[in-house]
């Protein structure tokens, strides 16, 4: 299964993109589970503010699209939370982690991300993801405008995109 990271600064469009992807999954009949500490409105099957409820629902479900918004506010470095990126694929899940840079994830968790949506980033962040995906075009993230992002697939396509609002 493909796990995705959606990273960038505040107000760049991360959550808008994630909600769009979530709605796309719902329209295709794929159940979506959302963890959002701010409890914003999402087009989803299940939503909670509590990570314990989210993990329990994820482990009790199969073949869902998982969305973890504001991941920087969560400690995803322990084994229980790291399961979202390392173990949930064995349940048929596709996990989307939304945050500023991805540094809140363990190295093992970051290495599980095979689809990247990178909004405007610092050179350090862009270089990190360039090394992970082994593609120099990811460095272009330092030059993006608001609502633009780099979409990269591990062993695949890298392209510059823009949110349609």
């Amino acid at each position: 299964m493909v796990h995705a990271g959606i990273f960038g600064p505040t107000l760049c469009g991360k959550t808008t993109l994630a909600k769009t992807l979530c709605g796309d999954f719902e329209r295709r009949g794929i159940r979506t589970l959302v963890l959002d500490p701010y409890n914003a409105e999402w087009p989803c099957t299940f939503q909670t503010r509590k990570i314990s409820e989210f993990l329990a629902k994820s482990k009790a479900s199969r073949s869902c699209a998982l969305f973890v918004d504001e991941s920087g506010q969560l400690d995803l470095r322990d084994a229980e939370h790291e399961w979202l990126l390392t173990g949930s694929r064995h349940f048929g899940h596709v996990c989307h982690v939304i945050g500023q840079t991805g540094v809140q994830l363990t190295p093992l968790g970051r290495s599980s991300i095979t689809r990247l949506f990178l909004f405007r980033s610092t050179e350090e962040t862009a270089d990190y993801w360039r090394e992970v995906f082994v593609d120099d075009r990811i460095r272009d993230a330092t030059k993006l405008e608001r609502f633009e992002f780099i979409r990269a697939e591990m062993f695949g396509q890298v392209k510059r995109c823009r949110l349609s609002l």
Side-chain angles (χ1 to χ4, degrees), residues 27-136:
R27 280 187 289 286
R28 293 188 341 241
I30 298 169
R31 292 175 300 143
T32 57
L33 313 179
V34 173
L35 172 62
D36 181 349
Y38 294 115
N39 211 29
E41 188 175 326
W42 284 74
C44 62
T45 307
F46 171 84
Q47 181 174 344
T48 184
R49 302 171 79 153
K50 298 179 182 175
I51 193 163
S52 57
E53 288 178 5
F54 183 75
L55 287 168
K57 184 71 169 179
S58 298
K59 290 179 178 182
S61 302
R62 297 294 180 271
S63 300
C64 297
L66 311 178
F67 289 85
V68 180
D69 201 6
E70 302 295 345
S71 63
Q73 295 183 16
L74 306 168
D75 185 0
L76 299 177
R77 290 172 286 199
D78 67 42
E80 181 68 10
H81 301 144
E82 188 179 61
W83 173 88
L84 290 168
L85 287 169
T86 60
S88 69
R89 67 185 177 88
H90 299 289
F91 288 63
H93 297 319
V94 175
C95 186
H96 300 76
V97 179
I98 303 113
Q100 301 284 322
T101 64
V103 296
Q104 72 278 16
L105 307 174
T106 65
L108 180 59
R110 286 191 299 266
S111 70
S112 298
I113 291 175
T114 56
R115 180 174 292 146
L116 177 67
F117 300 91
L118 188 61
F119 288 81
R120 183 180 216 159
S121 299
T122 64
E123 286 184 20
E124 181 181 23
T125 298
D127 278 341
Y128 173 79
W129 289 109
R130 179 197 58 79
E131 287 181 24
V132 170
F133 280 76
V134 193
D135 197 307
D136 287 340

